[in-house]
């Protein structure tokens, strides 16, 4: 019932204190030629050492969610944004027709491990913008809304049909995976290990549930899991660098080896 992917072992980026590993949810679905699952394009697991500075660069089209449960990511942009993203705060960059920013970790900050989630919007040349704010406090063994489609009521929005939730499972705790009729659920184990559908999933491993049915997940030890409920029929724009660009195809080719 659940298709499984092991942790990525090859680095997509390794430069000057910045390491990133790419996860391609589309690879879990047999016969899917796309590296993404409809509007969910890619997940990047990023590691930044203290003192690392990723210089000013542009994103286009993609909706980029920075989820930082460990460490501190410092964002700056030419529009005057000076933002801190950490376990209590989320940032969504709706790149649209273009958004420039830079990222850094101060010398006295802890090492950073984060996920950057790339969502394909429903159209090209949308207005760029940025969302930043406090997440609700996590409650053990309870799903928490992270972001959802515009108008969904989630605290942060992306411009396509992907609804993201996270959970902090205590050892032995159980929760039912979020599902929705006609949609697929992809999950990523950020920390710890869980069991579901008779399979074990450790840190950095992921799974795809293709049918909307009750599927319990149980933590072997304390665990942090992120889920995405995805409308595979949604219109998507593939014009972003990560949404469907040459860079991500090169990453995908390496990941398949």
């Amino acid at each position: 019932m659940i298709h499984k992917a092991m942790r990525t072992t090859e680095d997509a980026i390794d430069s000057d204190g910045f390491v990133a590993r790419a996860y391609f949810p589309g690879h879990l679905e047999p016969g899917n030629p796309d590296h993404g699952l409809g509007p969910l394009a890619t997940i990047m697991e990023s590691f930044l050492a203290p003192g690392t500075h990723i210089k000013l660069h542009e994103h286009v089209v993609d909706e980029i969610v920075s989820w930082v449960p460990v460490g501190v990511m410092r964002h700056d942009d030419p529009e005057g944004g000076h933002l801190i993203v950490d376990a209590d705060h989320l940032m969504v960059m709706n790149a649209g027709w273009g958004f420039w920013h830079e990222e850094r970790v101060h010398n006295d900050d802890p090492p950073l491990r984060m996920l950057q989630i790339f969502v394909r919007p429903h159209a090209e040349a949308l207005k760029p913008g940025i969302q930043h704010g406090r997440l609700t406090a996590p409650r053990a063994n309870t799903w928490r809304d992270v972001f959802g489609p515009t108008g969904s009521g989630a605290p942060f929005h992306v411009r396509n049909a992907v609804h993201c939730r996270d959970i902090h499972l205590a050892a032995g705790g159980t929760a039912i995976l979020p599902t929705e009729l006609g949609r697929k659920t992809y999950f990523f184990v950020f920390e710890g290990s869980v069991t579901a559908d008779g399979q074990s999933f450790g840190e950095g491993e992921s799974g795809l549930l293709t049918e909307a049915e009750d599927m319990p997940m149980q933590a072997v030890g304390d665990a942090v899991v992120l889920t995405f409920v995805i409308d595979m029929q949604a219109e998507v724009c593939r014009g972003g660098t990560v949404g469907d660009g040459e860079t991500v195809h090169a990453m995908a080719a390496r990941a398949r080896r």
Side-chain angles (χ1 to χ4, degrees):
M1 298 302 300
I2 295 180
H3 303 290
K4 178 179 176 180
M6 305 298 287
R7 183 169 198 167
T8 295
T9 56
E10 184 168 349
D11 299 333
I13 301 169
D14 188 350
S15 174
D16 298 325
F18 172 41
V19 174
R21 296 172 184 158
Y23 294 83
F24 303 104
H27 288 180
L28 277 72
E29 185 174 40
N32 182 8
D34 187 3
H35 67 267
L37 278 171
L40 180 62
T42 306
I43 293 175
M44 299 290 289
E45 181 186 23
S46 299
F47 305 82
L48 277 74
T52 301
H53 177 206
I54 301 175
K55 296 181 180 179
L56 191 68
H57 59 284
E58 185 183 26
H59 289 278
V60 296
V61 178
D62 296 320
E63 314 269 281
I64 305 147
V65 181
S66 294
W67 183 78
V68 183
V70 179
V72 177
M73 190 270 280
R74 301 177 186 274
H75 158 100
D76 296 284
D77 63 65
E79 303 301 317
H82 305 287
L83 307 174
I84 292 176
V85 190
D86 56 17
D88 298 321
H89 298 84
L90 191 81
M91 185 178 77
V92 181
M93 187 161 42
N94 309 101
W97 61 68
F99 199 98
W100 290 81
H101 80 132
E102 55 188 326
E103 299 154 291
R104 70 181 74 231
V105 178
H106 286 175
N107 288 323
D108 56 353
D109 287 333
L112 169 64
R113 178 179 172 226
M114 64 180 290
L115 297 184
Q116 287 188 305
I117 301 149
F118 291 80
V119 173
R120 297 161 170 159
H122 60 76
E124 195 172 6
L126 298 173
K127 183 178 179 180
I130 197 161
Q131 303 165 60
H132 175 264
R134 183 174 288 274
L135 287 160
T136 59
R139 295 169 52 203
N141 304 328
T142 302
W143 293 105
R144 173 179 67 170
D145 278 340
V146 177
F147 66 84
T150 303
S152 65
F156 300 88
H157 74 268
V158 292
R159 293 174 291 197
N160 218 327
V162 179
H163 199 139
C164 174
R165 300 172 179 89
D166 67 9
I167 195 168
H168 292 65
L169 281 170
T174 301
I176 302 297
L177 280 168
T179 59
E180 191 172 332
L181 190 63
R183 303 193 175 190
K184 297 181 179 181
T185 297
Y186 172 79
F187 64 88
F188 183 93
V189 180
F190 183 81
E191 185 177 288
S193 61
V194 299
T195 59
D197 189 32
Q199 303 181 69
S200 296
F201 298 84
E203 184 173 289
E205 296 183 332
S206 54
L208 174 65
L209 179 63
T210 58
E211 301 292 338
E213 60 179 84
D214 286 351
M215 178 65 68
M217 171 181 286
Q218 184 172 38
V220 177
D222 292 351
V224 179
V225 180
L226 204 63
T227 63
F228 306 86
V229 178
I230 307 157
D231 182 358
M232 296 293 293
Q233 304 305 313
E235 292 289 333
V236 299
C237 175
R238 301 174 183 272
T241 302
V242 174
D244 205 41
E246 293 182 4
T247 301
V248 81
H249 283 303
M251 294 178 188
R254 290 198 296 271
R256 288 185 188 278
R257 289 205 297 264

